[in-house]
Amino acid sequence: GPGAMAVAKVPLTKEPVPQTVPASELPMKVCEVALNTGPDSSCGLATAGFRTAKYLPPEWHQSNHGLYHKAFVGCEQSERGRAEAKELAQHAAATAQRAQKDSTAALGQRLQDIHFWKTELQKEIEDLDAETRLLAAQKVRLERALDATQVPYAIATDNLQCRERRQPPDLVSDEVERELLKEAELIRNIQELLKRTLMQACNQMRLNRDHKEICEMDWSDKVETYNIDDECGRYSNQRTNVQFHPNSVKFEESASTPETWAKFSHDNIYRAEREKLASINLRALIDNILHDVSEDLRRQCAAVNEAFAKRCEELDDTKHKLEHNLKNVLKEIADQEANIAALKQAIKDKEAPMKVAQTRLYDRSFRPSVELCRDEAQFRLMSEVEELTASIESLKKKLLESEQSLTNLEDTRMNLEKEIAVKTNSIFIDRQKCMAHRIRYPVVLKLAGY
């Protein structure tokens, strides 16, 4: 009846021990009645043959009363016992019900706690996953930017090599050279920086993944536990899939406390958060680095181009001036050559007058005796010869000077032509070779890793 139900509800700590003593017939109890002896006994020898009664009426009544009383007391005790048993059964039923209700409520509360941490972990896993994806995109940008530095470096080194082929007077360590060297150095430094940052990004991505994995393991344990506790919460007395597990009533050696349990997930999330923040900061840093790198390169490239433009302008200007001087020198050479020809002609022209004057003097030396007079004519002729000789001398001297001057002019012309060729070569190198090559310089967006 209800008693049996109530008993079933009480959790047993030990399974009942099976009966080991075999059932058998109990021996009969031997009752020994005391013999009635004494003065008032019915053992009088005289009446021995007739008195069969062992008891007296009062004894008989007493015996009956005793039985009534015993029956009454027995019933009363039994009734009290029944009432107590009923009350005990009811109390046991109520206790069992209340205990089960409390346990179910505790399981429900526990499910809420597990759900809370499970949700927190899930959010952290999703955040880390998204963060790692963003960081991976930044890593790709770094790789692209590193690749994009190849072209500028090749251009800068090529420019420097080309300019080695300028000829001696133009082989100067000018502003262009300084800026080009600065550019090559800058690109090398940038490449180092990008490589270091790439390593940092790879490292951070690995840390992100490690912490995501830790959180995922924690999360899957929570899911498993949630399902177990959820199932436990659904068990009821009507369910058929419950059974006795006497050995389960104990605490495991390795069991955690609610404090250490919560701290475990809290620490996992805290560490994951820390890595997430580090990752976010690293992404911001990469943004800044890529922005600065592309800006620096662009600025340096502009500085080099400006230096080239200035240098080419300077070379053009110098070349024009040299050409102008060459034109003048050439004109002067022509004039000088005409002048020399004229001088030679002038010297030649003095031959006839000299011959005339000298012949006159010669002929007059044959005048006889007193006729050989130092007359005016003689003086005139002699001074004419002197004048002619002097003017021929001065003309010859002038001719020598003019020829020397012509030689000098020719030298100057050669030097000017050589110098113009050198300048033309320099202009060709700087403009056609270097500046034309620099058009291939990548755009800022490419240097920023896009």
Side-chain angles (χ1 to χ4, degrees):
M5 272 299 282
V7 170
K9 275 187 191 172
V10 177
L12 291 172
T13 53
K14 288 200 165 63
E15 284 186 347
V17 178
Q19 292 275 289
T20 51
V21 180
S24 64
E25 286 293 309
L26 291 173
M28 289 296 289
K29 190 171 184 193
V30 183
C31 297
E32 286 182 14
V33 180
L35 286 178
N36 222 2
T37 52
D40 297 322
S41 76
S42 58
C43 279
L45 290 175
T47 55
F50 306 100
R51 290 199 64 186
T52 55
K54 292 188 175 79
Y55 304 105
L56 297 177
E59 285 176 331
W60 181 76
H61 283 298
Q62 202 182 339
S63 169
N64 287 341
H65 275 301
L67 270 175
Y68 305 153
H69 182 68
K70 208 172 184 181
F72 174 71
V73 168
C75 283
E76 207 177 28
Q77 269 179 348
S78 174
E79 205 178 332
R80 209 169 38 247
R82 272 191 304 108
E84 275 173 12
K86 195 177 173 189
E87 202 183 323
L88 181 64
Q90 279 171 348
H91 177 69
T95 308
Q97 205 178 351
R98 193 168 57 247
Q100 195 177 69
K101 199 172 144 206
D102 289 353
S103 294
T104 309
L107 280 169
Q109 182 54 51
R110 187 64 182 158
L111 281 174
Q112 280 180 8
D113 291 353
I114 295 170
H115 181 74
F116 166 76
W117 284 112
K118 189 170 65 114
T119 314
E120 289 291 298
L121 284 163
Q122 200 166 347
K123 186 175 157 297
E124 198 52 48
I125 291 164
E126 282 161 13
D127 285 0
L128 261 181
D129 204 34
E131 177 53 41
T132 307
R133 275 201 297 278
L134 290 172
L135 186 57
Q138 288 291 65
K139 181 177 160 255
V140 170
R141 277 185 65 199
L142 279 173
E143 284 162 352
R144 284 194 193 137
L146 187 56
D147 286 345
T149 58
Q150 295 295 327
V151 176
Y153 190 64
I155 291 174
T157 47
D158 185 69
N159 284 175
L160 283 164
Q161 276 166 359
C162 282
R163 297 187 95 242
E164 296 277 295
R165 296 202 291 273
R166 291 172 300 167
Q167 271 146 22
D170 273 14
L171 198 56
V172 279
S173 167
D174 54 6
E175 189 61 27
V176 179
E177 182 126 336
R178 279 199 295 280
E179 291 297 342
L180 276 171
L181 287 167
K182 238 164 83 181
E183 185 175 53
E185 180 69 12
L186 173 71
I187 297 170
R188 265 203 303 273
N189 290 342
I190 284 171
Q191 286 173 341
E192 283 309 304
L193 172 67
L194 291 177
K195 280 176 195 160
R196 277 203 306 276
T197 315
L198 256 173
M199 273 171 63
Q200 230 174 319
C202 290
N203 238 354
Q204 189 56 54
M205 278 165 74
R206 204 188 64 242
L207 286 169
N208 287 0
R209 272 197 293 269
D210 290 351
H211 282 82
K212 188 185 117 189
E213 231 164 76
I214 291 168
C215 287
E216 279 171 342
M217 283 166 80
D218 193 357
W219 177 84
S220 72
D221 288 351
K222 296 260 183 297
V223 170
E224 206 178 319
T225 307
Y226 188 89
N227 293 340
I228 290 172
D229 278 1
D230 187 40
E231 183 61 23
C232 288
R234 291 174 200 282
Y235 284 134
S236 67
N237 298 333
Q238 282 72 42
R239 288 284 283 272
T240 54
N241 58 345
V242 292
Q243 59 191 89
F244 289 114
H245 295 286
N247 294 335
S248 63
V249 187
K250 64 177 191 299
F251 279 120
E252 294 294 337
E253 280 298 311
S254 60
S256 59
T257 66
E259 291 74 30
T260 60
W261 173 80
K263 188 178 183 305
F264 179 74
S265 292
H266 173 271
D267 288 352
N268 285 343
I269 290 171
Y270 172 74
R271 284 193 287 265
E273 262 310 288
R274 213 170 43 194
E275 290 310 329
K276 191 177 84 182
L277 274 178
S279 187
I280 290 169
N281 292 339
L282 180 60
R283 276 195 298 119
L285 175 72
I286 292 172
D287 259 340
N288 293 339
I289 284 175
L290 287 172
H291 174 263
D292 294 351
V293 157
S294 57
E295 270 301 293
D296 290 351
L297 280 174
R298 192 187 57 75
R299 210 176 295 118
Q300 187 52 36
C301 175
V304 172
N305 289 347
E306 198 185 336
F308 261 122
K310 260 195 194 148
R311 185 64 181 153
C312 285
E313 214 175 292
E314 225 177 338
L315 286 166
D316 279 339
D317 187 47
T318 310
K319 187 174 160 228
H320 284 314
K321 284 180 178 158
L322 288 168
E323 281 166 346
H324 176 70
N325 282 317
L326 179 64
K327 209 170 84 184
N328 290 347
V329 166
L330 287 172
K331 185 176 171 296
E332 194 49 49
I333 284 173
D335 290 353
Q336 191 63 279
E337 281 171 342
N339 173 45
I340 287 169
L343 279 172
K344 282 178 176 167
Q345 192 54 54
I347 291 166
K348 203 161 186 250
D349 288 349
K350 296 296 161 286
E351 284 176 4
M354 182 63 100
K355 280 180 191 167
V356 171
Q358 284 183 348
T359 306
R360 281 174 174 171
L361 281 169
Y362 176 74
D363 282 355
R364 291 194 82 202
S365 67
F366 292 109
R367 289 175 297 166
S369 57
V370 86
E371 291 306 319
L372 200 63
C373 180
R374 291 184 192 164
D375 53 9
E376 186 55 34
Q378 187 74 9
F379 277 119
R380 193 64 239 127
L381 279 168
M382 284 173 83
S383 75
E384 186 188 357
V385 168
E386 266 170 38
E387 277 167 23
L388 280 169
T389 306
S391 74
I392 285 168
E393 276 310 306
S394 63
L395 281 169
K396 278 185 173 165
K397 199 174 158 203
K398 188 46 83 183
L399 179 63
L400 267 174
E401 272 173 33
S402 299
E403 280 171 341
Q404 188 53 54
S405 161
L406 181 63
T407 308
N408 294 345
L409 284 169
E410 289 286 2
D411 285 351
T412 306
R413 187 195 82 179
M414 264 178 68
N415 289 339
L416 284 170
E417 281 170 350
K418 217 193 247 158
E419 202 49 44
I420 287 166
V422 168
K423 295 285 175 280
T424 308
N425 178 52
S426 297
I427 290 169
F428 173 75
I429 286 172
D430 279 0
R431 200 167 271 145
Q432 256 52 55
K433 284 268 198 261
C434 297
M435 285 172 87
H437 197 184
R438 292 187 73 77
I439 293 166
R440 290 182 41 230
Y441 214 88
V443 289
V444 175
L445 274 178
K446 225 178 179 158
L447 295 169
Y450 289 111

